[in-house]
Amino acid sequence: MQRPLVSIIMPAYNSNNYIASSIASVISQDYQNWELIIVDDFSKDETFKIISAFSEKDKRIKVFRNKSNRGAGFSRNKALKEANGEFIAFLDADDLWKKEKLSKQLNFCLENKVNIVYSSYEKIDEQGKLLKQKIESLPFVNYQKLMRSNYIGNLTGMYNAAKIGKIYLPEIRKRQDWAMWLAVVEKGGTAHGIEDSLAFYRIRKGSVSENKFAMLSYNFKIYNQVLGFGKLKSLYWMFVFLGEHFLVKSKQTVSFD
């Protein structure tokens, strides 16, 4: 029996230093029934040349290019429109997967009859060196919990599109992945976490994940603009987020020697 096709969504912008390694981590998966859809967001470096070379060698890799820089949300949506898989997974152009990522998550979904899965992951620096920090996944996350903070690392998340349909992202510049996972969980039910670390998240200087104040401003936009909360309600949820982030989410980060 044919195993399910997994569509992997990858936006890319000026990623020539990292994207070859990211693609290689997909090619080396021990589960091989996948398609990788890469949308280059009008890069100014060699990104499009690199991904085109990969596509010529492996027909499972499909490459598209925006005519202007539109942002990750637009690029992910463009890739989603081209996706044919029963399952949808996400990997950014500077992050990495462990070889068992797809197989473990797919088996978990099929064996437990769940629609949404994610996992723990580890942090690496710009040179790919381990930062000795693991973000541990919660056993499960429902919609109300996800409203408090984004507990689904986008590079680890996967959902069953055959069951719940494709879920598109708001086309805002940052944090649109959190808004998408809120919509996925609202429609598909509880997201289930795998304790194993299955991916590597690259910390880059100037990124939103590094700049906490910028992250908070984008969070407010999610509450206010995407979810449609008024300013007072959005401010209330911002305080909820801060409490969740520092009292609960911070406990997910485990440092090791």
Side-chain angles (χ1 to χ4, degrees), residues 67-82:
K67 295 180 180 180
S68 61
N69 182 261
R70 302 294 299 272
F74 179 92
S75 299
R76 288 186 179 120
N77 285 341
K78 188 171 184 176
L80 279 165
K81 291 174 184 177
E82 301 293 335

Side-chain angles (χ1 to χ4, degrees), residues 107-172:
N107 289 337
F108 184 92
C109 286
L110 297 176
E111 291 171 6
N112 295 284
K113 295 182 172 58
V114 299
N115 293 326
I116 311 161
V117 67
Y118 61 105
S119 77
S120 302
Y121 60 94
E122 294 161 71
K123 293 182 179 180
I124 57 176
D125 66 13
E126 289 186 296
Q127 288 71 46
K129 182 180 178 181
L130 277 171
L131 294 175
K132 299 181 179 180
Q133 287 187 336
K134 176 184 176 183
I135 308 300
E136 295 189 328
S137 64
L138 298 180
F140 62 89
V141 174
N142 58 23
Y143 185 78
Q144 287 300 316
K145 185 68 172 178
L146 200 61
M147 277 276 290
R148 293 172 173 268
S149 191
N150 187 11
Y151 285 98
I152 300 176
N154 196 54
L155 73 165
T156 75
M158 185 169 76
Y159 68 86
N160 189 332
K163 292 287 183 66
I164 67 175
K166 296 179 184 178
I167 307 295
Y168 292 91
L169 297 86
E171 292 180 5
I172 57 177

Side-chain angles (χ1 to χ4, degrees), residues 195-256:
E195 184 178 357
D196 295 345
S197 172
L198 298 178
F200 297 103
Y201 179 74
R202 195 182 303 270
I203 301 295
R204 296 172 63 180
K205 293 180 180 178
S207 68
V208 172
S209 58
E210 187 181 64
N211 189 327
K212 303 302 182 185
F213 289 105
M215 181 179 70
L216 289 174
S217 68
Y218 288 117
N219 282 8
F220 183 85
K221 289 182 179 180
I222 295 297
Y223 291 128
N224 185 234
Q225 297 179 14
V226 178
L227 298 180
F229 296 167
K231 288 185 178 180
L232 287 177
K233 190 174 181 180
S234 297
L235 285 171
Y236 164 79
W237 277 104
M238 285 293 293
F239 282 112
V240 172
F241 169 86
L242 286 170
E244 190 83 1
H245 189 82
F246 291 108
L247 295 178
V248 181
K249 194 172 184 182
S250 59
K251 295 179 181 178
Q252 288 182 278
T253 304
V254 178
S255 299
F256 51 90

Side-chain angles (χ1 to χ4, degrees), residues 25-77:
S25 77
V26 173
I27 294 172
S28 65
Q29 290 295 298
D30 56 20
Y31 184 84
Q32 286 288 300
N33 193 24
W34 50 261
E35 61 175 3
L36 174 59
I37 306 170
I38 309 174
V39 176
D40 175 63
D41 196 17
F42 203 66
S43 293
K44 298 176 181 178
D45 61 5
E46 298 295 307
T47 297
F48 187 69
K49 180 178 179 180
I50 293 169
I51 61 180
S52 297
F54 272 102
S55 181
E56 290 175 3
K57 295 178 182 178
D58 192 327
K59 298 306 178 184
R60 295 174 297 176
I61 301 173
K62 304 173 183 179
V63 171
F64 301 89
R65 194 181 197 207
N66 295 334
K67 295 180 180 180
S68 61
N69 182 261
R70 302 294 299 272
F74 179 92
S75 299
R76 288 186 179 120
N77 285 341

